[in-house]
Amino acid sequence: MAEFLTGMKRTCYCGDVTAKYDGRTITVMGWANNRRDLGGLIFVDLRDRTGILQIVFDESIIGESFKKAEKVRGEYVLAVTGCLRRRSAAAVNKKIKTGRFELAAAEIRIVSESETTPYALDDSARVNEALKLKYRYLDLRTPELQGYLLTRDKITKLVSDYLSKNAFINIETPFLGKSTPEGARDYLVPSRVHPGSFYALPQSPQLYKQLLMISGFDRYYQIARCFRDEDLRANRQPEFTQIDFEMSFVDSEEDVMQIAEGMIADIFKKIKRLDIRSPIPRLTYAEAMNKYGSDKPDTRFGLELVDISDIAGNTQFQVFSNAVRGGGSVRMINAKGFIKGAEPLLSRRDIDALGEFVKTYRAKGMAWIALREDGLQSAITKFLTESEVGSILARAGAETGDLILFCADSDDEVVYASLGALRLRLAEIGGLIDKNIYNLLWVVDFPLLEYSYEEKRYVAKHHPFTSPKNEDLHLLDTAPEKIRAKAY
């Protein structure tokens, strides 16, 4: 049976035990992570959100309460009072931060009992995701997930502290408002008092930010919840959080970017102990798309896109030539060394699977040339002259063991999306991404508009709340697709 905590008050968290408590009587509370029964001696690793502390239940010390300790099983919630003592040198556990200490229990309260859990928390990495979601409260007890939430908490505080020091005011804006055209579908909430009318959940607090600016709140920020009724994707959720801030009386994008850089540098310094060099490198939208096929490029590895439209547009291979004549392009990626040796990173079946993969990004297919030790292998070289093949290989910097992958389309956006996604997939296969490296950059000079074939008009590239660059205003009537936005 669970017991009330009458008279018991926690001294500190399990993971916060240090030498200052050595020899003192303290009380800790948490979950029984595991238990080892050695007869008259029971060891329990007590866990809370800060870490683990070993508890020793010695029958000769704890007396009658030892019977309670014998009942303890995994995930029981306990309150334990005892004397903190140092472990012997041979018994020190270097895997945990409290490994030099243990608590010799003098009193135990079973706050809550637990049934046998559907899976062991220590084995959660191998547990089916559906089972973990069903028992989400168990998954949230694991150090990994608790670490994410604790880190998020620290980041939230750092953001608030930094922006507050820079004269920003934290203002909360309503969730229930009027629907606005922003590019995604709104979640709608029916009004009980106005039948047939609906509120819309905000995709971002954009209208409220503008309202606050003209009201005299020249520096506003909010860690805002945003809602978008969109289909799930790897990088898209129906609801998410973003750091939102707005500034009046600034002259350029650089004024805003400078504040953002300082905030990012502060977070990395205090969370990751990393110094972020300033200014953070800039890359134009056009450069990002041409080299990486993405407006959020990962620059920690190569595999850059190479444009061969000038070569491919004049070939007899109609997939290539028609794409160029249609106003699009032909681009390639050299997966350097991916088919080298007896155990290549990509088999023929894998290459075919990559062809299916790019189709999910509206590509009609993927051509390829493999440079194997016994010569070229490809289904497209028969449509190309020896000179054209040579020019393509030279531009790719191709060597034996390389696999060159092509995408062609009359719509450049299809080429970019397909090869941009393919580039990331190849990096994953090749283990090319060092997760301990952070290459931060700004992507600047985004297009203001793009043409919608469905609506037969120009629409905002990202959202309708960005201004055109002053030097591009003359293009508004003649070439609106070339206008760059003050967006980054």
Side-chain angles (χ1 to χ4, degrees):
M1 295 291 291
E3 302 174 72
F4 292 109
L5 292 174
T6 307
M8 297 188 81
K9 186 176 181 180
R10 179 162 55 189
T11 308
C12 65
Y13 286 96
C14 294
D16 292 340
V17 166
T18 62
K20 75 175 182 178
Y21 296 109
D22 191 13
R24 289 175 52 184
T25 296
I26 64 172
T27 299
V28 292
M29 301 173 183
W31 284 257
N33 196 62
N34 54 57
R35 172 184 181 276
R36 303 177 300 283
D37 191 339
L38 304 182
L41 209 59
I42 296 174
F43 294 90
V44 171
D45 286 343
L46 197 66
R47 183 194 73 244
D48 63 22
R49 62 182 172 90
T50 64
I52 286 175
L53 178 64
Q54 178 172 279
I55 313 295
V56 182
F57 297 98
D58 187 332
E59 189 172 11
S60 65
I61 297 174
I62 201 170
E64 285 296 313
S65 292
F66 189 77
K67 293 178 181 178
K68 292 182 186 177
E70 289 182 311
K71 296 178 182 178
V72 172
R73 296 295 181 269
E75 297 308 305
Y76 272 38
V77 183
L78 310 176
V80 184
T81 299
C83 180
L84 189 72
R85 66 192 186 192
R86 291 181 180 270
R87 298 198 208 185
S88 66
V92 169
N93 183 354
K94 296 181 180 179
K95 294 180 181 179
I96 57 176
K97 60 182 178 180
T98 62
R100 293 183 297 136
F101 303 98
E102 62 187 12
L103 188 68
E107 184 181 358
I108 175 177
R109 297 283 180 93
I110 297 177
V111 180
S112 179
E113 298 178 356
S114 173
E115 297 179 1
T116 301
T117 56
Y119 63 87
L121 267 63
D122 289 343
D123 201 37
S124 63
R126 291 191 288 270
V127 175
N128 178 275
E129 190 71 18
L131 185 63
K132 289 198 288 187
L133 288 172
K134 181 178 180 180
Y135 297 97
R136 188 61 166 168
Y137 64 93
L138 292 179
D139 200 25
L140 287 170
R141 292 181 191 176
T142 59
E144 182 182 19
L145 266 67
Q146 290 198 348
Y148 293 149
L149 293 178
L150 292 171
T151 299
R152 180 191 171 104
D153 171 67
K154 292 175 184 175
I155 291 173
T156 300
K157 185 177 185 306
L158 289 171
V159 167
S160 296
D161 289 347
Y162 175 84
L163 292 175
S164 178
K165 288 176 184 176
N166 283 275
F168 286 82
I169 302 167
N170 185 358
I171 303 177
E172 187 178 85
T173 55
F175 277 170
L176 298 177
K178 183 179 176 63
S179 180
T180 60
E182 292 190 40
R185 287 186 297 272
D186 290 318
Y187 278 111
L188 299 178
V189 180
S191 171
R192 178 182 57 81
V193 295
H194 300 288
S197 296
F198 296 83
Y199 296 104
L201 298 182
Q203 296 179 36
S204 77
Q206 190 67 46
L207 286 180
Y208 300 114
K209 289 189 292 187
Q210 294 171 338
L211 181 67
L212 290 166
M213 291 299 101
I214 63 174
S215 301
F217 297 96
D218 62 303
R219 290 195 171 199
Y220 139 95
Y221 85 94
Q222 182 182 178
I223 299 174
R225 297 294 291 169
C226 303
F227 305 87
R228 297 179 186 177
D229 187 7
E230 295 184 326
D231 295 331
L232 282 172
R233 302 182 201 171
N235 63 342
R236 195 73 57 84
Q237 293 188 116
E239 58 177 296
F240 57 91
T241 304
Q242 67 184 31
I243 301 169
D244 234 87
F245 67 83
E246 193 92 358
M247 301 168 65
S248 295
F249 308 114
V250 293
D251 294 326
S252 68
E253 301 100 305
E254 288 294 330
D255 294 323
V256 183
M257 293 162 78
Q258 188 175 22
I259 288 289
E261 282 195 17
M263 180 180 69
I264 292 166
D266 193 49
I267 291 169
F268 270 87
K269 180 72 173 178
K270 292 172 180 174
I271 298 291
K272 288 288 187 180
R273 303 291 186 265
L274 292 175
D275 289 316
I276 300 300
R277 63 189 177 99
S278 186
I280 292 173
R282 271 67 166 158
L283 193 67
T284 68
Y285 173 87
E287 290 171 329
M289 299 304 290
N290 285 330
K291 291 178 70 173
Y292 305 106
S294 171
D295 61 6
K296 46 183 179 298
D298 191 333
T299 60
R300 291 174 294 181
F301 61 95
L303 299 179
E304 295 179 5
L305 279 59
V306 178
D307 190 352
I308 58 164
S309 301
D310 57 325
I311 302 171
N314 298 315
T315 67
Q316 295 301 308
F317 186 39
Q318 292 189 359
V319 172
F320 284 0
S321 56
N322 287 345
V324 176
R325 278 197 292 271
S329 64
V330 182
R331 299 173 194 267
M332 65 182 176
I333 293 176
N334 182 1
K336 188 161 279 295
F338 271 60
I339 56 170
K340 189 175 183 178
E343 297 183 4
L345 290 170
L346 293 173
S347 66
R348 175 58 191 269
R349 180 180 294 180
D350 294 330
I351 297 171
D352 291 341
L354 290 177
E356 295 301 312
F357 172 78
V358 297
K359 288 180 181 178
T360 62
Y361 295 88
R362 295 194 297 137
K364 298 178 180 65
M366 182 187 75
W368 52 272
I369 297 176
L371 282 78
R372 303 192 183 278
E373 292 182 0
D374 55 354
L376 296 184
Q377 180 186 358
S378 175
I380 69 169
T381 50
K382 61 186 176 183
F383 301 106
L384 305 172
T385 67
E386 186 175 334
S387 174
E388 290 165 346
V389 172
S391 296
I392 291 171
L393 297 182
R395 188 167 295 182
E399 301 173 311
T400 300
D402 294 352
L403 175 69
I404 305 173
L405 306 167
F406 303 87
C407 185
D409 200 277
S410 56
D411 184 350
D412 265 347
E413 294 297 322
V414 172
V415 178
Y416 289 141
S418 303
L419 290 183
L422 179 62
R423 177 176 177 268
L424 293 175
R425 182 76 185 101
L426 290 170
E428 182 183 338
I429 292 170
L432 303 180
I433 304 174
D434 186 344
K435 299 290 179 67
N436 296 312
I437 293 176
Y438 298 89
N439 278 12
L440 305 186
L441 62 84
W442 286 105
V443 177
V444 299
D445 294 348
F446 276 74
L448 181 72
L449 303 168
E450 64 181 348
Y451 190 78
S452 170
Y453 291 97
E454 292 81 10
E455 300 182 40
K456 295 182 171 49
R457 66 182 181 92
Y458 283 100
V459 297
K461 177 70 174 178
H462 284 281
H463 58 69
F465 302 107
T466 52
S467 299
K469 282 186 172 288
N470 296 342
E471 58 267 36
D472 290 351
L473 284 173
H474 68 282
L475 298 170
L476 194 56
D477 293 326
T478 57
E481 73 281 358
K482 295 181 180 179
I483 299 175
R484 295 167 299 163
K486 294 177 183 177
Y488 39 90

